[in-house]
Amino acid sequence: MARVIEAGTSFFQGVERTGASLGSSLSEMAKGLLEIAIPMLYPKLEIGNLPLSGVETEKFLTATNLSGLPKVFYEDKTERSLVVKQGGQFVPNLGCDLVRELLDHLRREHAYGNKVTGKMLENHFGGAGYGWSMDAVRLGLAILFRGGAVEVSHQGRKYQHYSEPPARQPFVSTPAFRAASFSPREALDLKTLAAAARMYEELTGRDVNIEEGEIAQAFKQLAASDREKLLPLAARLQALRLPEAKAVQEQLNWVEGILESAPDECVKTLASEGKSFLEGRRLAEKLEKLATDTNIETIRTARRILDEQWPVLIAQGTAGELSKHHDELAACLIQMSASDVSKQ
């Protein structure tokens, strides 16, 4: 049978080829025919033909930084490298061929109003034209997810931040991946991310990776820490009826808004309004230092004297030379109520 086949001819896409033109043996002929047919049937096979062991996606999503990943992530050609260096740090490469193919498909499907599940992506990219493994598809989606270009819906909840453990489940579990759905979102440009990272460094003196998720998480942690300080400070200043209570309450409202905002909005706020946020923090820190128990008690005592004891002295006719001091104290409290107490 082998000799008969070797002496025969093959047909592919209407083209006739003799066995001898493909090789000298059946195995060589089969290899020669596959080398002709595969590129035609799977023109984008090479893009997703990655040497994966199956653990790369989880390592990518759990890595603190992207400088120590497996070799498959780093290529000399930018269009093939899964991560690239920006500002001295490695970041997800949203421009590489693998993720661009995935993102373009997601955008097309969502433009038609179609929900796209992991099972659909597995079938599409594993079929004609691609021939990609499910691991390659999952890894490409993970790069898009960490880069802020897609969001994931799983078990009724939508995720935009890769650092949440439940958000990583669809990327490491086959059943979860097939059941989860993926949708595109507008990734922040590098300029905005870099501006937000610089602003965070100015706020805290610490570096942060130039990634949407990393910056948003760091900023939210800072906001949560500020909230713990602002809550009692706002209450104390409001109890004293000081004008700066309003400024502190506004800063507190801002902080609570940051904690509730989506990662992309959080980063945009830091990049565009970070200077104002910093000024609000500095004012709050100054007021916190001024709002000591001694100073608060002094203000309370002063108001009690003016409101309760001074009218008694007037009624008794014993105010005398204290009138001058009364006027100075009253003027001071009025000034505090009408101006910036942080400058007093």
Side-chain angles (χ1 to χ4, degrees), residues 65-267:
N65 61 70
L66 305 180
S67 60
L69 297 172
K71 291 182 180 180
V72 69
F73 286 90
Y74 312 100
E75 287 284 346
D76 293 334
K77 294 181 179 179
T78 304
E79 65 272 16
R80 298 301 303 276
S81 186
L82 303 180
V83 297
V84 289
K85 211 164 192 178
Q86 298 283 1
Q89 299 176 0
F90 281 103
V91 298
N93 184 10
L94 301 183
C96 74
D97 292 340
L98 178 71
V99 301
R100 286 181 63 181
E101 287 290 336
L102 288 163
L103 186 57
D104 287 346
H105 178 72
L106 283 173
R107 285 172 173 166
R108 282 194 301 270
E109 290 300 310
H110 276 265
Y112 288 118
N114 296 329
K115 178 182 178 181
V116 182
T117 66
K119 180 63 175 177
M120 294 175 181
L121 292 170
E122 179 187 2
N123 291 337
H124 178 77
F125 287 98
Y130 295 93
W132 296 357
S133 69
M134 184 172 59
D135 285 337
V137 175
R138 285 199 293 202
L139 180 57
L141 289 168
I143 293 169
L144 287 168
F145 187 45
R146 182 158 181 165
V150 300
E151 57 189 20
V152 183
S153 297
H154 179 52
Q155 294 183 339
R157 184 177 173 187
K158 185 174 289 185
Y159 299 96
Q160 294 183 335
H161 198 305
Y162 72 93
S163 66
E164 299 178 80
R168 298 195 291 266
Q169 192 63 20
F171 298 95
V172 299
S173 166
T174 297
F177 170 72
R178 290 171 174 165
S181 63
F182 303 84
S183 55
R185 56 188 291 256
E186 204 60 43
L188 299 176
D189 57 65
L190 184 60
K191 182 179 179 181
T192 301
L193 293 173
R198 286 194 300 270
M199 196 64 242
Y200 179 79
E201 184 179 358
E202 187 173 344
L203 283 168
T204 65
R206 299 190 298 271
D207 292 333
V208 64
N209 290 331
I210 306 177
E211 300 176 23
E212 178 186 316
E214 289 284 338
I215 297 171
Q217 184 182 33
F219 191 29
K220 285 178 179 285
Q221 288 175 347
L222 178 66
S225 176
D226 284 359
R227 184 177 182 274
E228 296 303 313
K229 297 178 181 179
L230 290 170
L231 280 171
L233 179 61
R236 299 183 89 178
L237 296 181
Q238 287 171 359
L240 292 171
R241 305 191 305 278
L242 294 176
E244 295 300 342
K246 181 179 179 181
V248 172
Q249 184 61 47
E250 288 176 351
Q251 185 73 7
L252 177 59
N253 294 341
W254 197 0
V255 161
E256 290 178 336
I258 290 168
L259 291 172
E260 296 174 0
S261 64
D264 56 341
E265 291 301 323
C266 189
V267 175

Side-chain angles (χ1 to χ4, degrees), residues 295-343:
N295 289 344
I296 289 174
E297 186 57 34
T298 298
I299 294 173
R300 284 175 175 163
T301 300
R303 284 198 170 127
R304 188 165 58 250
I305 289 172
L306 294 181
D307 296 340
E308 301 174 9
Q309 297 180 12
W310 182 251
V312 174
L313 294 176
I314 291 296
Q316 293 177 347
T318 57
E321 296 181 356
L322 294 177
S323 297
K324 177 182 177 181
H325 299 297
H326 164 271
D327 295 342
E328 292 177 350
L329 180 58
C332 181
L333 292 177
I334 291 173
Q335 185 180 6
M336 288 178 63
S337 298
S339 63
D340 187 350
V341 71
S342 67
K343 298 177 181 178

